[in-house]
Amino acid sequence: MLQSFRHHINMANEKILSYNDVILLQSDLTILKNPCFLNDRIIEFYFTHLSSLHSQQILFLPPSITFWITNCPDTDTLSDFLQPLNLPSKQLIFFPVNNNDDVAVAEGGTHWSLLVFFQTKNLFVHHDSFHGLNNHHAKRLYKRVVSYATGDLDDTETRYMEYARTPQQVNGFDCGLYVLAIAKEICRWFDGDGNKNEDDLWFLFVKERVTSTSVSGMRMEILELIRSLREKK
């Protein structure tokens, strides 16, 4: 029985794809094939994929970096880390937000949401698919990163908003998929010059395209993407 358990663990940890700096494991496929909470690797993988499709004016920060920004106790270290990213040069920045408060717990937390910075409007928007559960964590992240995103250490003009009409999940495990689906549609809005309304931002675009049906279909979309990339190796 012990040998069987070890075999199962080894199978789960088997590497299935190396994509830029992201390594996906067999266990990630299991998460995608079942009604499970997405982990950091899957979110970083899909963000990396979106980055390859869209404008260089868009920056996707991986969950580990966002978590570190939120919880780094040393502001000098934070400054040294963020300055090379040149955040003010980006028009859109995506921050995946997790409600893990314990820096000692890897891949902790129970909920994902999305914080977006739009440079043109000097605006941070928080999209939460579960009744604002991560509002506190998103606001804390905003306060840590705002001066680095704008390039103004004395920034007083940048606004922060909780978008109350963010599409809402209908179960307890699809929050990560909502983060990815909303990010995907905001990118489409940003790159679609003919359809872009900067006064109303991307809100109508997201409302019309991010539905419970489209979100649930993203598991198959990501699995198909992984299969396609593996075939090219």
Side-chain angles (χ1 to χ4, degrees):
M1 182 176 293
L2 180 58
Q3 185 177 6
S4 175
F5 175 74
R6 287 173 176 169
H7 176 72
H8 176 75
I9 294 298
N10 289 336
M11 286 289 292
N13 291 332
E14 180 184 352
K15 184 176 76 172
I16 60 163
L17 178 67
S18 178
Y19 182 65
N20 292 348
D21 294 329
V22 184
I23 295 177
L24 292 179
L25 308 178
Q26 183 65 41
S27 57
D28 299 320
L29 294 184
T30 302
I31 288 173
L32 288 165
K33 291 176 181 177
N34 293 280
C36 298
F37 181 82
L38 297 194
N39 61 20
D40 292 32
R41 282 190 304 275
I42 296 172
I43 290 177
E44 182 175 0
F45 165 73
Y46 195 75
F47 269 17
T48 303
H49 168 65
L50 287 178
S51 181
S52 73
L53 299 177
H54 295 284
S55 167
Q56 293 300 305
Q57 294 180 304
I58 302 175
L59 177 64
F60 300 85
L61 290 179
S64 58
I65 298 301
T66 298
F67 179 73
W68 190 81
I69 293 171
T70 306
N71 295 282
C72 177
D74 184 350
T75 55
D76 290 336
T77 301
L78 181 61
S79 177
D80 291 342
F81 176 79
L82 288 177
Q83 285 181 355
L85 294 177
N86 197 16
L87 300 183
S89 70
K90 305 299 180 180
Q91 284 298 304
L92 269 179
I93 306 176
F94 291 94
F95 304 85
V97 181
N98 189 276
N99 64 350
N100 180 18
D101 288 317
D102 190 345
V103 295
V105 177
E107 296 192 0
T110 60
H111 185 54
W112 292 107
S113 59
L114 181 66
L115 183 65
V116 186
F117 177 57
F118 186 33
Q119 187 81 245
T120 301
K121 292 292 186 180
N122 252 12
L123 177 67
F124 280 82
V125 180
H126 182 220
H127 289 280
D128 194 319
S129 63
F130 198 74
H131 313 295
L133 184 63
N134 275 3
N135 287 356
H136 169 72
H137 297 83
K139 191 65 175 289
R140 189 169 71 187
L141 171 60
Y142 153 75
K143 289 179 178 179
R144 295 298 302 274
V145 80
V146 57
S147 61
Y148 301 102
T150 63
D152 182 0
L153 295 179
D154 299 314
D155 179 84
T156 58
E157 296 182 359
T158 301
R159 294 177 295 134
Y160 172 91
M161 71 175 292
E162 304 281 354
Y163 187 60
R165 295 185 180 181
T166 295
Q168 298 292 288
Q169 63 195 82
V170 295
N171 54 50
F173 46 80
D174 274 348
C175 52
L177 290 174
Y178 273 82
V179 166
L180 303 184
I182 292 170
K184 178 175 74 171
E185 297 306 337
I186 293 174
C187 288
R188 286 181 174 176
W189 168 85
F190 182 80
D191 283 344
D193 294 332
N195 299 317
K196 185 161 61 176
N197 183 335
E198 291 190 354
D199 290 329
D200 295 333
L201 299 180
W202 52 80
F203 301 142
L204 181 60
F205 210 78
V206 166
K207 179 182 177 182
E208 291 177 345
R209 294 169 179 261
V210 178
T211 65
S212 58
T213 301
S214 68
V215 169
S216 63
M218 287 204 64
R219 290 185 185 272
M220 188 56 66
E221 175 188 332
I222 299 171
L223 284 168
E224 178 60 27
L225 173 62
I226 293 170
R227 184 195 64 79
S228 175
L229 290 171
R230 291 180 73 185
E231 289 181 351
K232 294 177 181 178
K233 293 291 184 178

